[in-house]
Amino acid sequence: MKEHTAVDRNAYDQVMLPIYSPAQFIPVTGQGSRVWDQQGKEYIDFAGGIAVVALGHCHPALVDVLKQQGEKLWHISNIFTNEPALILAQKLIDATFAERVFFANSGAEANEAAFKLARHYAITRHSPYKTKIIAFHQGFHGRTLFTASVGGQPKYADGFGPKPADIIHVPFNDLDAVKAVIDDHTCAVVLEPVQGEGGVTPAAPVFIRGLRELCDKHQVLLVFDEVQSGMGRTGKLFSYMYYDVTPDIITTAKALGNGFPISAMLTTENIASAMTPGTHGTTYGGNPLACAVANAAFDIINTPTVLEGVEKRHNLMMNFLNDINQKHSIFGEIRGKGLLIGAELKAPYQGKAKDILQLAAENGLMLLSAGGGVLRFTPSLIISEEEIARGMERLEQAINQLV
């Protein structure tokens, strides 16, 4: 690959807000599940842009659509509608329980809309006091003040002044804890079917079914944040489809546009009808450029070939991780669904996730963590078996250097 030297990593520390700590290399090109940096070094991508690049980098079908739409119409605002948005909305409705769709640009915005809708629905249909939101420790729902407050990790919401009120957090997968706090003042129960940022922890089926029963009993909306777990990531189009439970609202983002910013909130006609013109809005949401790309991504992801291939790749990655663990005894638990996998580090290595990520990068592997104690794997849904094998070799090299 051609070497790029216009800027280097030091420029980041001089020009960017100091809220991230990016790797020392700068990726410049990608193809499929491989990425090359400024010096032309190759990396296997097990990070997938944090579960975003579900079809790999620069998928030719998406590149073609982007070029075609880029010569037609980029942005028109929601004062007007557009064809790609209407087509995408219909596809989402046809494939799910939903009857109405709202488009935005990020997972946080989709969740913000979901939480506002849940409260507005409860206030207008039931009582002005029906505003309590029940969420879960270690949950993550975004970085707006509302979504960070609903998220169950105080480090993301503390230090910014008063938080939105009437939000209660209880332990994940603990139905009794929910029973203890749910009441007629509750408007929503909010959860990720697989907690991502909080450690890659799947919800137990009995827990999900119990939540649905509790929500029905108390006239509470069940909200699934599928920003990370949706769009084929777990082997079904959305994770709720595993549980034989229908939520009232789901949100999706990340893989929906394969890297082009777009998100969606899906709900029923009855719940959606609580909103009226002007109740909520967005300037960029549902713009034709994003929706055209998402249409192409959706058509590829929502196929038996891709969705059934996720389980095959899951098993392959789990086998590799178990083999590594047999040799090095570094992981306490390896868990997750589909290609959302977490390998929890044992006590002596807790807090060393960032060190492993650094060593992995030096060995040509892009990897994620979930906190300091869990390695997180969210590669492309169509990553090749050969790339999985090569990436796992590089991970083992990194672990060899650590232990």
Side-chain angles (χ1 to χ4, degrees), residues 115-360:
F115 304 160
K116 285 179 70 176
L117 171 59
R119 278 199 172 160
H120 193 69
Y121 174 82
I123 287 168
T124 56
R125 298 287 173 83
H126 295 292
S127 160
Y129 306 106
K130 194 173 176 66
T131 55
K132 183 197 294 184
I133 293 174
I134 299 172
F136 297 91
H137 296 310
Q138 300 308 309
F140 183 86
H141 302 294
R143 297 284 198 151
T144 67
L145 192 55
F146 194 1
T147 57
S149 298
V150 175
Q153 301 183 63
K155 64 183 178 182
Y156 294 130
D158 289 349
F160 302 102
K163 299 173 187 175
D166 231 4
I167 299 166
I168 292 178
H169 296 96
V170 296
F172 192 61
N173 273 329
D174 186 340
L175 196 59
D176 288 336
V178 180
K179 288 178 183 176
V181 295
I182 196 167
D183 56 25
D184 291 341
H185 295 303
T186 307
C187 70
V189 173
V190 178
L191 74 153
E192 301 159 89
V194 182
Q195 286 192 336
E197 179 73 22
V200 192
T201 306
V206 66
F207 177 65
I208 295 287
R209 289 194 294 268
L211 289 181
R212 180 70 274 176
E213 290 170 8
L214 284 173
C215 287
D216 290 342
K217 179 181 177 182
H218 293 278
Q219 293 185 300
V220 169
L221 299 185
L222 183 59
V223 181
F224 275 15
D225 175 345
E226 296 238 29
V227 167
Q228 187 162 177
S229 65
M231 288 306 296
R233 176 57 51 186
T234 62
K236 292 188 181 290
L237 186 63
F238 291 103
S239 298
Y240 82 83
M241 296 170 176
Y242 279 106
Y243 292 102
D244 196 28
V245 163
T246 303
D248 299 295
I249 301 172
I250 62 172
T251 57
T252 182
K254 289 191 181 288
L256 182 59
N258 202 66
F260 202 105
I262 182 172
S263 64
M265 177 189 71
L266 286 61
T267 191
T268 64
E269 157 65 17
N270 175 52
I271 296 166
S273 65
M275 305 296 261
T276 55
T279 314
H280 189 59
T282 167
T283 295
Y284 294 107
N287 75 81
L289 203 52
C291 289
V293 175
N295 269 304
F298 187 95
D299 289 345
I300 298 169
I301 291 171
N302 192 34
T303 58
T305 301
V306 172
L307 295 177
E308 291 169 10
V310 169
E311 186 65 20
K312 182 181 179 183
R313 289 165 176 80
H314 167 88
N315 293 333
L316 186 61
M317 293 193 78
M318 293 293 279
N319 289 338
F320 274 115
L321 289 170
N322 283 315
D323 288 345
I324 290 171
N325 202 31
Q326 281 191 328
K327 294 179 193 174
H328 302 285
S329 191
I330 189 171
F331 304 128
E333 184 184 10
I334 306 168
R335 57 182 180 253
K337 290 181 82 71
L339 288 174
L340 177 51
I341 297 170
E344 186 171 15
L345 298 169
K346 283 186 174 177
Y349 306 102
Q350 278 288 316
K352 295 283 184 73
K354 191 168 184 180
D355 297 334
I356 296 174
L357 264 59
Q358 172 65 29
L359 290 168

